[in-house]
Amino acid sequence: MKILVSAESFGYGPITTGLNIVKELKKYSNISLDFIGSGIAMEQAKLSKYFENYYQCDTYDIISLEKNKDIFLKYDIYLSSENINGVIFALKNGLENTYYVDNLMWMWDKIPDELFNVKKYFISEIIPCRSNFNRIGKKIKNPLFVGPIREINIKKCVTKNQLIINIGGAESYLLNHSLIIKFYNKLINEIISDTVVNRFESIILCGGSGVIDNIILNNKSKKIKKCTLSHKDYLKEMEKSTHCILASGLGNFVETVGKDKNIMYLPAINYSQLQQIEYYQQHEFGFKILNWPDFEFYQSIPKYLDEETGVNMVVSNIKNYLDGDYTKKINNVVNNFLEENQNNFFKVREKFINSLEKDASKKIASIIYNDNK
């Protein structure tokens, strides 16, 4: 059973989701797994060491996909984690055993018609999405709702006096790369003040290498480690840390909400992150939040926009931030975060974790295997 896997190179969400399923598929003895993709998706795929072969391809780009048509035709099964154009291309070229994984059913304004015909359409439900599914997804032939495709558990961690700052993958074909580098250079240097450095024994700053390698820290303390980690290694460092400052992706949320952590979320760099932070605030999880509505230049961004329009509206906030001096504001938010103790909110977070379906990765892997054995 030969499986080709891809993930949209859009932050860490799609690739981490895909890798969690692949981890379970590897437990079956007669399966071979290869990866096709680019950018941070390829970077994390290689760091995982889960695959036998890696094919470089911009899987969001139809021209690049056409150049790799012969690769697709070698496989029995194609598994796509939110890589829409890969699915469209695979089905167009006769790969009927095509599976699609979607973390964002709650957000989409519409679903491309071609996705209605996949072998299984797995809908990961962290933020409730049934009403939006009923609005846009009723034509999907084989939908299957599952829980978070992440490691979710309640755990009291053995910690040290460490801060981890995870900016996530921080790359997408919808984002201007140089603008995101400028944004994180400014924001991270405002966060890592002398006060913050003196507060911790160690600080881990991590994320996709395309951005992390281009962050130049003003503070040269040896306490600070700047790196790109495999997902497995990131989880280890996160669990060791007393404090987490995170990009607001759903993966970061669901992997930390069951841990006894003090958590702060950074301003959104894309449309889904903006709405996810709003969801966290509505549920009063007790996180410290720094988001664009906290700035005077913010203008309301509606729901159910097409993704490109939504991303562009979020990016306009990044540009406004870069044009102003918000050092004092950032310092105040971070210092207030360090003075807080979020212990009183752990029970609320634990209740939320207990409400989620577990073992989604195993369930999906089992379905794919049994469909094709």
Side-chain angles (χ1 to χ4, degrees), residues 163 165 187-200 203 218-219 221 224 327 330-332 334-335 338:
L163 166 67
I165 304 173
L187 181 64
I188 295 302
N189 276 302
E190 289 175 341
I191 289 171
I192 304 180
S193 64
D194 289 342
T195 301
V196 171
V197 173
N198 292 335
R199 169 72 168 73
F200 293 97
I203 297 173
N218 298 330
N219 194 308
S221 171
I224 306 169
T327 303
I330 304 297
N331 288 165
N332 286 340
V334 174
N335 290 337
L338 298 182

Side-chain angles (χ1 to χ4, degrees), residues 103-121:
N103 290 305
L104 299 175
M105 176 60 75
W106 55 271
M107 186 193 80
W108 299 125
D109 63 318
K110 61 182 179 180
I111 297 169
D113 291 353
E114 294 91 339
L115 268 62
F116 297 158
N117 298 314
V118 293
K119 186 86 171 266
K120 292 285 191 311
Y121 191 119

Side-chain angles (χ1 to χ4, degrees), residues 14-254:
I15 183 58
T16 306
T17 294
L19 292 177
N20 282 334
I21 298 168
V22 167
K23 181 181 177 181
E24 296 302 322
L25 284 167
K26 285 181 68 65
K27 295 177 181 179
Y28 296 95
S29 60
N30 59 336
I31 289 179
S32 66
L33 291 144
D34 295 336
F35 185 82
I36 187 166
S38 61
I40 53 172
M42 178 64 81
E43 179 174 78
Q44 284 295 309
K46 287 184 174 179
L47 285 171
S48 75
K49 300 179 181 178
Y50 286 164
F51 301 95
E52 296 175 30
N53 298 293
Y54 300 87
Y55 304 107
Q56 184 70 30
C57 173
D58 293 329
T59 53
Y60 57 85
D61 179 67
I62 294 296
I63 294 173
S64 187
L65 285 164
E66 286 286 356
K67 292 177 181 177
N68 289 277
K69 179 178 177 179
D70 289 346
I71 291 171
F72 276 79
L73 297 179
K74 294 191 297 184
Y75 291 86
D76 308 306
I77 300 164
Y78 174 58
L79 171 63
S80 165
S81 182
E82 296 187 334
N83 175 212
I84 292 173
N85 281 346
V87 168
I88 293 171
F89 182 78
L91 291 173
K92 178 184 173 183
N93 286 282
L95 225 173
E96 294 181 0
N97 295 324
T98 291
Y99 296 83
Y100 184 69
V101 183
D102 188 355
N103 290 305
L104 299 175
M105 176 60 75
W106 55 271
M107 186 193 80
W108 299 125
D109 63 318
K110 61 182 179 180
I111 297 169
D113 291 353
E114 294 91 339
L115 268 62
F116 297 158
N117 298 314
V118 293
K119 186 86 171 266
K120 292 285 191 311
Y121 191 119
F122 297 107
I123 301 166
S124 177
E125 193 170 26
I126 301 173
I127 294 178
C129 62
R130 306 285 174 131
S131 62
N132 202 39
F133 172 81
N134 288 333
R135 186 177 71 88
I136 64 171
K138 296 300 283 288
K139 292 183 180 180
I140 297 172
K141 292 180 180 177
N142 294 297
L144 184 64
F145 288 86
V146 296
I149 308 171
R150 295 286 180 131
E151 179 182 311
I152 54 172
N153 52 39
I154 296 166
K155 186 174 182 180
K156 189 168 181 61
C157 304
V158 177
T159 61
K160 60 181 183 178
N161 186 24
Q162 176 169 288
L163 166 67
I164 190 163
I165 304 173
N166 178 11
I167 65 169
E171 287 188 39
S172 157
Y173 64 92
L174 292 178
L175 292 171
N176 180 300
H177 185 59
S178 62
L179 182 75
I180 298 303
I181 289 171
K182 287 178 185 177
F183 168 63
Y184 278 119
N185 262 294
K186 181 177 181 180
L187 181 64
I188 295 302
N189 276 302
E190 289 175 341
I191 289 171
I192 304 180
S193 64
D194 289 342
T195 301
V196 171
V197 173
N198 292 335
R199 169 72 168 73
F200 293 97
E201 294 173 10
S202 58
I203 297 173
I204 305 288
L205 171 61
C206 61
S209 64
V211 175
I212 282 291
D213 290 352
N214 287 289
I215 293 178
I216 300 170
L217 294 173
N218 298 330
N219 194 308
K220 306 301 181 184
S221 171
K222 293 181 179 178
K223 292 181 179 181
I224 306 169
K225 179 183 178 183
K226 187 164 65 92
C227 55
T228 293
L229 300 170
S230 69
H231 188 62
K232 181 180 178 181
D233 289 340
Y234 160 68
L235 290 177
K236 288 179 182 177
E237 292 298 339
M238 178 270 288
E239 291 191 356
K240 290 179 192 174
S241 304
T242 56
H243 290 72
C244 306
I245 297 179
L246 307 170
S248 59
L250 280 176
N252 278 340
F253 164 65
V254 81

